[in-house]
Every structure is written in C-alpha cells, then in structure tokens.
Amino acid sequence: MPDTNLIAETDSLEEGGKGHRFNVRNQDGEVMPAFVIRFDYQFFAYLNKCGHIAVELDYMPGEFFTDDGRTLICSTHGAEYAPDTGACLGGPCYGVGLESLGIAEREGRLYLDHENYEVVSKDV
Ligand code: FES
C-alpha cells in the first residue's frame, strides 16, 4: 500500500478523542475533507460532510465527539452520528448518515483503502 494513502499513526488517536483531518480526491478530481477517529478500540474514517447540510462537522479542528466520547456531533446544528457506522442517531440529519471511507491498519499506521478516493493531504 503506497505511503501516499497514509492517514495517521494509530497511537496518535485516542479512544473517543480528537480525530485527524485529511483531504481525499475522488475519481472526478474533486477534493473533499475527511477525518479518522478511534472508537471502541477500532478506527473509522468518514467524509467530513454533515448529512443535513454539506458542511464540515468540526468547529474546532479534530473535535468530532460529544463530551462523553460516545457519539459524533455536527457543530452547526447538533446532528449526532454513530462513531462506528456513521448512521444518523438524531438531530437534523433526518436519517442521512456519514459516508464511510475504507481504511486499513498496517504496522501501526492507518491507510485509506477505498477504490474511489486517494489521500491528497493530511493533518489539515
Ligand atoms: S449542518 Fe450539521 S446539523 Fe445542520
């Protein structure tokens, strides 16, 4: 797996803590924000786009979790999402979840592993 799709070191992500932001490019050349978080001792990545309005979830960079570290929350109107699936749990996402991105863990590093996207920058 090429290092160009490197997202983060696994030990740089705390359980239910601050996530890492990165940008991906799709097959049409469109660049989009994304993020990765650690939850329930696993890692999950999503496009950073609310299901309500297409805005980024985090007001403070990397702050995706509620205070209890159990759900992801959009800072604009408070829609909440399941950290492990991206499903809309409540608020104005009205059943529209986050778009999940495949990732792979190898030797303590996380890589994007998604056929439609490539990493163009990280720690953004
Ligand atoms: S834009 Fe995210 S809840 Fe409204």
Side-chain angles (χ1 to χ4, degrees):
M1 210 171 292
D3 268 2
T4 51
N5 277 327
L6 176 65
I7 298 171
E9 308 283 333
T10 56
D11 61 7
S12 69
L13 286 160
E14 290 183 24
E15 178 75 15
K18 197 169 180 179
H20 283 307
R21 295 162 50 94
F22 59 101
N23 287 327
V24 295
R25 180 168 40 225
N26 68 12
Q27 293 172 324
D28 296 327
E30 185 182 2
V31 174
M32 293 167 265
F35 66 96
V36 61
I37 48 99
R38 183 178 196 144
F39 178 74
D40 206 14
Y41 304 100
Q42 298 174 71
F43 301 93
F44 302 94
Y46 301 98
L47 290 183
N48 193 359
K49 186 173 77 172
C50 184
H52 178 214
I53 298 171
V55 299
E56 297 180 24
L57 276 66
D58 53 331
Y59 175 67
M60 298 294 289
E63 301 291 347
F64 297 100
F65 278 100
T66 51
D67 289 344
D68 65 3
R70 301 303 301 168
T71 59
L72 304 176
I73 187 165
C74 176
S75 60
T76 302
H77 305 118
E80 294 193 31
Y81 300 94
D84 53 350
T85 63
C88 171
L89 297 177
C93 42
Y94 305 118
V96 180
L98 303 175
E99 182 173 339
S100 178
L101 298 173
I103 54 175
E105 182 178 349
R106 183 167 55 97
E107 297 175 355
R109 292 177 161 183
L110 297 172
Y111 296 86
L112 182 71
D113 184 18
H114 197 290
E115 64 181 9
N116 297 326
Y117 296 101
E118 64 179 352
V119 174
V120 291
S121 57
K122 63 183 180 74
D123 300 324
V124 295

